[in-house]
Amino acid sequence: MKIVPLNLPKQFSIINRYGRRIYNEYFIAIILGEFATKLSLNNQDVYLGMKVSKKFDKKSCDRNFAKRRIRDIARELSKEQFITRGSGII
């Protein structure tokens, strides 16, 4: 199972519309379990998209660092089977 980036606005909008929101004071995650079947994509992969605003930090290097950390966490969670195959996450 590999982490595949979300690139198209259509993919983001589907997860925003149908996904389940999990959030706290610092982080919002929107998860859609059957994302791959809605778009006829590979069910063996996990689809990950991120939006980090300038409110988080003004420096792009710090925002990119946060994205790299989130990608690494998602990779580790997918290895441990905490994230199901075919899921879409923003």
Side-chain angles (χ1 to χ4, degrees):
M1 175 175 12
K2 64 181 180 177
I3 304 291
V4 179
L6 296 177
N7 296 325
L8 302 175
K10 177 182 176 185
Q11 295 171 336
F12 277 91
S13 66
I14 288 174
I15 293 177
N16 275 328
R17 184 177 302 150
Y18 300 111
R20 181 173 52 110
R21 296 182 192 301
I22 301 171
Y23 56 90
N24 66 17
E25 145 180 31
Y26 303 107
F27 190 76
I28 299 172
I30 306 171
I31 301 171
L32 181 60
E34 64 278 352
F35 174 73
T37 57
K38 283 192 179 293
L39 289 178
S40 302
L41 298 172
N42 186 1
N43 278 336
Q44 300 301 315
D45 298 331
V46 173
Y47 298 88
L48 178 67
M50 285 180 270
K51 300 181 262 185
V52 180
S53 71
K54 286 188 179 181
K55 286 182 184 180
F56 178 77
D57 200 333
K58 297 292 183 192
K59 295 180 182 177
S60 63
C61 60
D62 292 336
R63 294 193 305 267
N64 291 334
F65 179 74
K67 288 192 245 183
R68 284 193 301 271
R69 295 293 295 242
I70 293 168
R71 258 192 303 274
D72 189 47
I73 290 168
R75 196 173 297 117
E76 291 297 320
L77 289 175
S78 67
K79 286 180 187 176
E80 299 294 326
Q81 302 297 325
F82 287 113
I83 300 175
T84 59
R85 294 178 177 180
S87 296
I89 304 168
I90 294 180

